[in-house]
Amino acid sequence: MAVYIKPIPTLTGKVAEKFEKIARENEKKRGTVDFSREVEMTKRILKKSNLRKFK
């Protein structure tokens, strides 16, 4: 049995320009996440479990 797939709406005109502007502004504000604490904790857990050798 075939299932109807709805077409994806396309932004045009001023709406598209506004979307582009907001997207570029948000891209400049993008931050980073520091996972160093989690990585160290994971290494300690694996070291205790003797599943893997870590230096």
Side-chain angles (χ1 to χ4, degrees):
M1 185 169 158
V3 178
Y4 176 72
I5 300 174
K6 295 179 183 178
I8 299 172
T10 306
L11 298 177
T12 57
K14 290 188 178 192
V15 176
E17 291 171 8
K18 183 178 177 183
F19 179 83
E20 281 283 328
K21 180 183 175 191
I22 293 171
R24 289 176 196 218
E25 289 172 0
N26 288 333
E27 191 174 26
K28 290 178 186 176
K29 295 180 195 174
R30 194 173 99 182
T32 59
V33 179
D34 182 20
F35 287 107
S36 58
R37 182 173 163 227
E38 287 80 3
V39 169
E40 289 302 318
M41 189 171 19
T42 303
K43 284 182 181 181
R44 281 187 274 142
I45 291 169
L46 289 173
K47 188 175 181 181
K48 288 181 180 180
S49 70
N50 292 324
L51 291 175
R52 202 171 229 209
K53 301 288 183 189
F54 283 98
K55 295 179 181 179

